[in-house]
């Protein structure tokens, strides 16, 4: 349920050095920021954090990226774009990195900008909207007694699947659903670290 449009480098949605934001295709990585931050000069810096665009960007980073430093990053992005556009993924990654406090004594588990780029990718590709549409139409795709299993890699996706399956069970659409989320075994996580965030839920069509 997590399929971005093209590879990160193709869409400008990664944070490898010097990847342009591809203005010829309307800067897909930065499109979410462009949508919420008008090109006009913003109010004074002291008022930036109170502006609707900053609040909306905070929401996007928290909901889509689960970024604990969303407020700080949103403010920095808004302030920067009030002065000059962010043209490359390296610029954006560096700006985000400057907002995230370091962890003394040990390197970070992931790049500090990972959650921000994840949030932008989800917004640009409308991944949650696509998943919601699938979940609404899913029962019509199943024969009576048919089963479906949904594998997700983001807690926002898992919440949507869990909620949709539970609503379908209450409404008599599904005869049974997974009571507990299924996770990879330690052996699988060791062999395939990318599976660590995977969650599996299933449902069986009534009838």
């Amino acid at each position: 349920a997590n399929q971005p449009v093209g590879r990160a480098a193709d869409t400008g949605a990664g944070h490898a050095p010097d990847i342009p934001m591809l203005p010829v295709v309307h800067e897909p990585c930065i499109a979410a920021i462009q949508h919420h931050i008008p090109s006009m000069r913003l109010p004074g810096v002291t008022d930036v954090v109170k502006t609707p665009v900053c609040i909306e960007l905070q929401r996007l980073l928290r909901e889509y990226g689960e970024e604990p430093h969303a407020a700080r990053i949103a403010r920095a992005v808004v302030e920067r774009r009030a002065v000059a556009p962010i043209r490359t993924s390296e610029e954006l990654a560096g700006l985000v990195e400057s907002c995230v406090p370091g962890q003394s004594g040990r390197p970070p588990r992931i790049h500090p900008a990972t959650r921000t780029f994840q949030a932008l990718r989800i917004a640009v590709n409308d991944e949650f909207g696509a998943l919601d549409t699938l979940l609404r139409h899913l029962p019509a795709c199943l024969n009576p007694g048919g089963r479906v299993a949904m594998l997700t890699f983001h807690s926002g996706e898992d919440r949507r699947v869990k909620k949709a399956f539970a609503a379908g069970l209450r409404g008599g659409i599904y005869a049974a659903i997974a009571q507990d989320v299924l996770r990879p075994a330690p052996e699988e996580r060791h062999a395939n670290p990318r599976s660590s965030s995977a969650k599996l839920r299933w449902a069986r069509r009534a009838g």
Side-chain angles (χ1 to χ4, degrees):
N2 188 350
Q3 295 294 328
V5 178
R7 295 181 294 110
D10 296 333
T11 60
H15 53 77
D18 296 326
I19 296 176
M21 293 302 182
L22 302 181
V24 294
V25 288
H26 309 296
E27 299 182 334
C29 178
I30 214 69
I33 294 178
Q34 294 275 28
H35 175 72
H36 297 294
I37 304 175
S39 58
M40 66 183 69
R41 191 165 184 82
L42 293 169
V45 170
T46 56
D47 296 326
V48 161
V49 74
K50 300 177 184 177
T51 63
V53 291
C54 189
I55 294 171
E56 178 62 13
L57 188 54
Q58 287 181 49
R59 183 197 66 78
L60 184 151
L61 294 176
R62 285 200 180 102
E63 181 179 343
Y64 294 177
E66 300 179 318
E67 172 54 66
H69 306 291
R72 188 178 303 174
I73 294 170
R75 175 173 179 147
V77 169
V78 172
E79 290 177 359
R80 168 64 182 276
R81 284 191 51 78
V83 176
I86 301 171
R87 298 188 182 279
T88 70
S89 57
E90 186 178 27
E91 287 182 63
L92 180 57
L95 180 63
V96 172
E97 189 171 8
S98 70
C99 300
V100 177
Q103 298 178 337
S104 58
R106 57 193 177 107
R109 186 175 60 87
I110 59 175
H111 189 282
T114 297
R115 293 187 179 90
T116 294
F117 278 87
Q118 172 182 282
L120 293 176
R121 189 205 71 223
I122 290 173
V124 169
N125 292 305
D126 190 25
E127 294 176 21
F128 286 171
L131 177 59
D132 290 339
T133 299
L134 171 63
L135 291 169
R136 282 197 305 272
H137 294 284
L138 185 57
C141 301
L142 297 173
N143 291 325
R147 293 173 170 82
V148 60
M150 301 288 291
L151 186 65
T152 63
F153 292 87
H154 185 285
S155 61
E157 295 171 340
D158 180 62
R159 283 193 297 270
R160 283 165 165 80
V161 173
K162 179 181 179 180
K163 182 178 178 180
F165 283 0
L169 182 65
R170 290 193 303 269
I173 297 173
Y174 295 120
I177 63 173
Q179 295 302 310
D180 297 306
V181 66
L182 302 177
R183 296 176 177 270
E187 296 79 11
E188 183 176 357
R189 293 198 300 269
H190 178 74
N192 179 17
R194 296 182 67 181
S195 72
S196 298
S197 60
K199 297 178 181 179
L200 180 70
R201 294 184 186 273
W202 59 265
R204 177 163 53 86
R205 186 76 159 88

